[in-house]
């Protein structure tokens, strides 16, 4: 048994992890004992979307390996600066789906609320890397306006807290937000989309699990892991605690060239997720966001990979392969 962490201790760890994250490429490479010359296409000073990698995540990378699948997800490359036809700043049509600043409604019954623009880690393939978060305005007034909009539309039954990353907010603010949402009687379900549980599992406090489960909502946490090695023992222990507290756990991944584009890796990812109490939900085709073209896996190859996973695993461990097409009424199945 791991020693039980108290709430105060957990949040202190989390604060420390945020301030000690790597933000300089050279410091990360030194930590990994990697010489710059081993990565000829490195972009040590990206113009935008700077490096951000918590040490807890860097510790899961293989020292001395320029092709490490965890490193590749966060390392800025010169290829990002090359314009590629079809790769744009708003690939999923977020701007057209905004009902209020930071409130997106694309699908029946579900509203997605961006509660912050901040993230614990900067993923190079992120479809929101160019999102104008700074235009969202002061957060409290904006959130109140979004809550008013949700309250005015009785067809909405579920709110997805997103960002950025919603777990960048502290427990008190999240608790207050959850209680406000509970007052909107037509809402039945609450969902959090977050990469923080994988990157910094100390953020999964018992207090926050209680906030999510003590009210009237059925709550789901959708984590984001792309490679089995992201799910170490600390992540597993924190997730199992949350599952025991009554939170439904799902995972979404992005299919990324050089990271998880092999049948064995995807199979192992599903198995490891299950060991952490998590079911695979979506495997997303890359959104064509400017700067990410080097991660693209074409649809035919994606189907072949998923078919290979299906041949090896029970159906409940096979994620749904989807792509987001602006204007569709759901994520589009690729199969
Ligand atoms: C992906 C997404 C959702 C959630 O879709 P599910 O298929 O229910 O997981 C909701 N709102 C927006 C705007 C989304 O992009
Ligand atoms: S954690 Fe999610 S929102 Fe944040 S950079 Fe990564 S993919 Fe984007």
């Amino acid at each position: 048994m791991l020693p039980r962490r108290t709430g105060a201790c957990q949040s202190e760890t989390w604060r420390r992890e945020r301030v000690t994250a790597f933000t300089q490429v050279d410091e990360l490479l030194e930590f990994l004992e990697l010489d710059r010359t081993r990565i000829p296409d490195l972009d040590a000073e990206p113009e935008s979307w700077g490096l951000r990698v918590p040490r807890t995540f860097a510790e899961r990378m293989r020292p001395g390996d320029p092709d490490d699948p965890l490193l590749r997800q966060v390392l800025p490359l010169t290829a990002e600066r090359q314009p590629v036809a079809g790769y744009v700043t708003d690939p999923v049509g977020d701007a057209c789906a905004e009902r209020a600043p930071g409130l997106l409604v694309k699908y029946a019954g579900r509203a997605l609320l961006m509660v912050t623009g901040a993230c614990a880690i900067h993923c190079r393939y992120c479809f929101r890397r160019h999102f104008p978060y700074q235009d969202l305005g002061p957060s409290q007034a904006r959130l109140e306006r979004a809550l008013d909009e949700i309250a005015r539309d009785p067809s909405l039954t579920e709110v997805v807290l997103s960002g950025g990353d919603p777990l960048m907010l502290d427990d008190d603010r999240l608790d207050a937000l959850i209680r406000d949402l509970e007052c909107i009687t037509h809402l039945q379900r609450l969902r959090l989309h977050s990469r923080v549980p994988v990157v910094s599992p100390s953020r999964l406090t018992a207090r926050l699990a209680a906030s999510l489960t003590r009210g009237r909502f059925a709550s789901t946490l959708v984590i984001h892991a792309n490679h089995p090695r992201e799910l170490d023992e600390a992540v597993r222990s924190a997730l199992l605690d949350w599952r025991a507290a009554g939170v439904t756990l799902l995972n979404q991944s992005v299919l990324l060239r050089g990271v998880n584009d092999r049948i064995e890796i995807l199979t192992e990812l599903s198995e490891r997720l299950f060991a952490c109490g998590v079911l695979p939900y979506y495997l997303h085709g890359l959104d064509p966001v400017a700067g990410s073209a080097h991660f693209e896996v074409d649809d035919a190859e994606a189907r072949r990979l998923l078919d290979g996973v299906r041949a090896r695993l029970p159906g409940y461990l096979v994620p749904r392969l989807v792509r987001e097409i602006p204007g569709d009424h759901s994520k589009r199945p690729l199969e």
Side-chain angles (χ1 to χ4, degrees), residues 87 91-92 124-127 254-257 283-289 291-297 299 322-324 334:
Y87 284 75
V92 294
R124 306 314 299 176
Y125 53 84
C126 179
F127 70 99
V254 182
L255 184 56
L256 299 166
R257 177 139 61 94
L283 176 62
H284 293 271
L286 183 74
D287 295 313
V289 65
S292 71
H294 57 292
F295 286 114
E296 174 68 13
V297 176
D299 287 357
V322 294
R323 190 180 277 289
E324 182 164 345
L334 274 186

Side-chain angles (χ1 to χ4, degrees), residues 106-223:
K106 288 185 182 169
Y107 308 137
R110 284 149 290 172
L112 183 143
L113 182 56
M114 297 171 174
V115 296
T116 170
C119 277
I121 187 168
H122 285 179
C123 312
R124 306 314 299 176
Y125 53 84
C126 179
F127 70 99
R128 292 217 184 101
R129 58 182 287 173
H130 306 287
F131 191 89
Y133 288 112
Q134 64 282 7
D135 297 351
L136 288 178
S139 61
Q140 198 51 38
R142 181 174 68 76
L143 274 183
E144 274 164 29
R145 182 158 161 220
L147 290 171
D148 286 345
E149 283 296 320
I150 296 168
R152 276 177 24 179
D153 183 350
S155 77
L156 297 172
T157 52
E158 179 171 10
V159 168
V160 179
L161 301 184
S162 177
D165 199 306
L167 290 183
M168 296 301 279
L169 261 55
D170 66 26
D171 286 357
D172 289 340
R173 285 199 63 194
L174 282 168
D175 187 67
L177 177 59
I178 295 165
R179 304 285 81 87
D180 283 344
L181 289 167
E182 271 177 346
C183 296
I184 303 176
T185 50
H186 47 263
L187 293 177
Q188 298 163 18
R189 291 178 299 278
L190 179 67
R191 208 194 307 179
L192 264 71
H193 281 185
S194 174
R195 186 140 165 77
V196 166
V198 169
V199 173
S200 283
S202 68
R203 179 68 193 87
L204 291 185
T205 60
R207 240 181 107 210
L208 187 54
S211 288
L212 283 167
T213 52
R214 76 161 194 264
R216 64 179 185 86
F217 288 140
S219 298
T220 304
L221 172 67
V222 184
I223 65 165

